[in-house]
Amino acid sequence: MENIADEVLKGNRLALAKAITAIENERENATEIMQQLYPHTGNAYVLGITGPPGAGKSTLTDKLAKEFRSRGKTVGIIAIDPTSPFSGGAILGDRIRMNDLAMDEGVFIRSMGTRGSLGGLSHKTADAVKVMDAFGVDVIFVETVGVGQSEVDIVKAADTTMVVLIPGMGDDIQAIKAGILEIGDIFTINKADHDGADKLQTELNMMLDLDGVMKDWRPPILKAVANQNIGITEVVDTFHKHREHIEANGQLTVRRTERAKNEMLDLLDAKIGQYVRHKLVDSGKIDKFVEDIKARKTDPYTVVNGVMESMLK
Amino acid sequence: MDKIRVLVAKPGLDGHDRGAKVVARALRDAGFEVIYTGLRQTPEQIAQAAADEDVNVVAMSILSGAHPHLFPKVVNLVREKGMKDTLIIGGGVIPEGDIPALKQAGIAEVFTPGTPTTAIVDFIKANVK
């Protein structure tokens, strides 16, 4: 392929796949691809789907994607599963729930391993979103790994975040803890035909009532049975409502500005880190520092201050 | 080095996925990213998933006897998508006599019952492009 970015912009599906591979593996041409695609991003709407393992995120995403397709939208899906910290391998199994979507030309699904990232996404998820955006899909779903309580990176990557919960996961004190329950723009109780769905809905409502400050968007708590296609149109309608709401009150612009800022800072941190490490290790200075620190002649805090001063002069 | 990505798929109608799951797990433990797509895949679905996921390897398992028809079909569809270098391998209950024709059709290697999973890992490492 001559120029991957050009081909992505022309709508070449294989180029889209190859571009994501280049980015995930941090190949030499990755930065160039992103530079070329960036001006063409910002048009897709990004929906985050998060929740505990087994909540039905993939099944729900499959059904929601079909609903968006029936409303004439093209869809990209990024499905993330955990990478083993021991072997570096992963089983990416979200496609199992999305098999008939794979044959729809208006849908592009890509599975990604977390590859060491701990926030529920992978480090390259945001870039993969941009590549799909530049390719021209209307809506991008980002499905996180099954999360526990504190993997909340999705909120930085998505325009609207939906937290998927299921009945029977714990008492109401779970619902007032900090973490993923703070990030939902929308809550969906999946498997709502199981016992305890009403109780969970009540508990979530009580949690939201404790928010004190009146917000102009109170996260709706929806019910669905994804594998029976129940409640799906309501969820999609609610996505639209939330999008209209944050477009009207300027919140979408705030979120996207914040995202641009964070992305730039993250990139800068990474580059500076690489540069400093490179300088320290290649010059062999690090060994002397480590020796002195070990002998308690100096301490890591003083050394770091010294290194920063000499490098950033 | 790029991470090796493998699509593990079950084409055809047999519902026996234990073997595919054992292989998927072994490949995971070898440090590969395994995209597992589950049972009853059509060759078209497998080829599309292979292209979109940009995998290095497609590994298929069949226990129904449909391999002479389905394996070559997947090879052709994957190549048609422009995936020229993708390594395509197969396994399952496959008579020795069928293997030469499958290789002729572009299946790089066929793994029959009793194969240690390490043989599959080693084959992928040695032949992946």
Side-chain angles (χ1 to χ4, degrees):
Chain A
M1 216 172 280
E2 283 283 292
N3 184 318
I4 293 185
D6 276 346
E7 291 296 318
V8 170
L9 294 173
K10 279 186 214 156
N12 179 336
R13 199 177 169 112
L14 190 61
L16 169 57
K18 298 277 179 202
I20 296 174
T21 304
I23 288 153
E24 262 204 306
N25 290 305
E26 299 182 323
R27 286 195 196 147
E28 260 175 52
N29 57 351
T31 305
E32 206 180 304
I33 292 172
M34 289 314 300
Q35 285 168 328
Q36 217 182 322
L37 294 181
Y38 197 85
H40 304 275
T41 60
N43 303 311
Y45 197 81
V46 185
L47 298 170
I49 311 287
T50 191
K57 295 182 293 299
S58 301
T59 308
L60 203 52
T61 302
D62 174 64
K63 298 295 190 286
L64 295 171
K66 281 176 187 149
E67 180 63 24
F68 272 103
R69 288 295 294 137
S70 75
R71 298 185 189 194
K73 302 288 183 197
T74 53
V75 174
I77 299 172
I78 297 172
I80 301 149
D81 265 330
T83 297
S84 163
F86 305 108
S87 69
I91 303 268
L92 312 178
D94 294 317
R95 287 189 86 98
I96 298 174
R97 322 281 173 215
M98 306 178 186
N99 274 320
D100 27 322
L101 270 184
M103 291 318 294
D104 181 342
E105 272 186 24
V107 180
F108 185 95
I109 308 169
R110 182 65 173 235
S111 315
M112 296 177 91
T114 52
R115 299 194 185 183
S117 171
L118 296 175
L121 304 179
S122 77
H123 294 298
K124 299 298 173 187
T125 302
D127 283 347
V129 166
K130 290 195 198 83
V131 180
M132 285 191 183
D133 186 349
F135 177 77
V137 297
D138 299 318
V139 179
I140 300 169
F141 285 93
V142 178
E143 185 198 326
T144 71
V145 301
V147 301
Q149 294 173 320
S150 62
E151 297 96 328
V152 295
D153 281 358
I154 185 64
V155 79
K156 293 184 230 156
D159 295 321
T160 295
T161 299
M162 179 168 85
V163 176
V164 184
L165 297 165
I166 44 172
M169 303 248 336
D171 64 11
D172 54 354
I173 201 71
Q174 298 300 337
I176 58 171
K177 287 186 181 171
I180 65 161
L181 294 182
E182 290 178 285
I183 64 168
D185 297 309
I186 300 168
F187 291 94
T188 293
I189 300 172
N190 191 31
K191 307 186 189 182
D193 53 340
H194 290 204
D195 279 349
D198 290 336
K199 184 162 170 272
L200 177 58
Q201 193 174 29
T202 308
E203 286 165 2
L204 287 170
N205 267 316
M206 284 171 62
M207 170 197 78
L208 293 174
D209 288 340
L210 290 175
D211 270 359
V213 204
M214 270 305 285
K215 291 183 183 153
D216 58 353
W217 174 265
R218 187 187 196 280
I221 301 162
L222 309 171
K223 284 184 186 168
V225 187
N227 63 1
Q228 293 170 38
N229 229 359
I230 295 170
I232 302 304
T233 52
E234 290 81 356
V235 175
V236 173
D237 289 343
T238 310
F239 274 138
H240 283 297
K241 248 183 252 166
H242 184 254
R243 178 181 182 165
E244 280 162 24
H245 179 81
I246 62 173
E247 275 173 350
N249 73 0
Q251 189 62 31
L252 181 61
T253 310
V254 173
R255 287 181 186 201
R256 289 186 171 183
T257 307
E258 192 67 15
R259 194 181 311 157
K261 184 174 138 194
N262 284 333
E263 280 174 5
M264 202 207 85
L265 288 174
D266 286 348
L267 210 56
L268 198 62
D269 282 349
K271 287 271 177 195
I272 292 176
Q274 271 170 17
Y275 173 78
V276 172
R277 273 163 192 265
H278 176 72
K279 288 264 165 186
L280 268 185
V281 177
D282 284 4
S283 64
K285 275 185 196 160
I286 186 142
D287 301 329
K288 178 79 177 89
F289 285 139
V290 171
E291 227 170 83
D292 288 350
I293 291 169
K294 230 174 77 189
R296 299 293 187 275
K297 283 188 206 158
T298 181
D299 61 85
Y301 315 98
T302 310
V303 169
V304 166
N305 281 343
V307 167
M308 288 304 289
E309 263 169 46
S310 71
M311 274 192 198
L312 298 179
K313 249 190 293 204
Chain B
M1 230 220 37
D2 286 4
K3 180 97 60 182
I4 295 172
R5 286 165 66 86
V6 186
L7 185 80
V8 173
K10 286 259 329 150
L13 297 175
D14 77 85
H16 305 285
D17 58 358
R18 179 62 60 90
K21 283 176 175 160
V22 169
V23 170
R25 171 65 198 268
L27 299 181
R28 184 201 87 176
D29 290 342
F32 302 162
E33 271 182 3
V34 179
I35 293 106
Y36 188 77
T37 55
L39 291 170
R40 298 185 191 92
Q41 300 290 296
T42 64
E44 288 79 8
Q45 284 174 323
I46 294 169
Q48 190 63 61
D52 290 354
E53 298 286 354
D54 193 21
V55 292
N56 310 93
V57 185
V58 174
M60 293 178 284
S61 159
I62 294 189
L63 285 82
S64 66
H67 53 272
H69 173 61
L70 293 174
F71 280 177
K73 201 165 174 197
V74 171
V75 174
N76 291 336
L77 289 168
V78 168
R79 300 293 179 233
E80 275 170 27
K81 297 269 176 209
M83 305 280 286
K84 303 289 178 217
D85 294 333
T86 315
L87 186 69
I88 305 179
I89 57 180
V93 186
I94 292 164
E96 287 294 327
D98 290 354
I99 294 177
L102 294 175
K103 288 194 172 174
Q104 187 70 36
I107 300 291
E109 190 55 273
V110 176
F111 300 94
T112 51
T115 307
T117 52
T118 48
I120 303 172
V121 170
D122 292 344
F123 182 82
I124 290 174
K125 281 184 178 164
N127 292 283
V128 76
K129 278 177 201 147

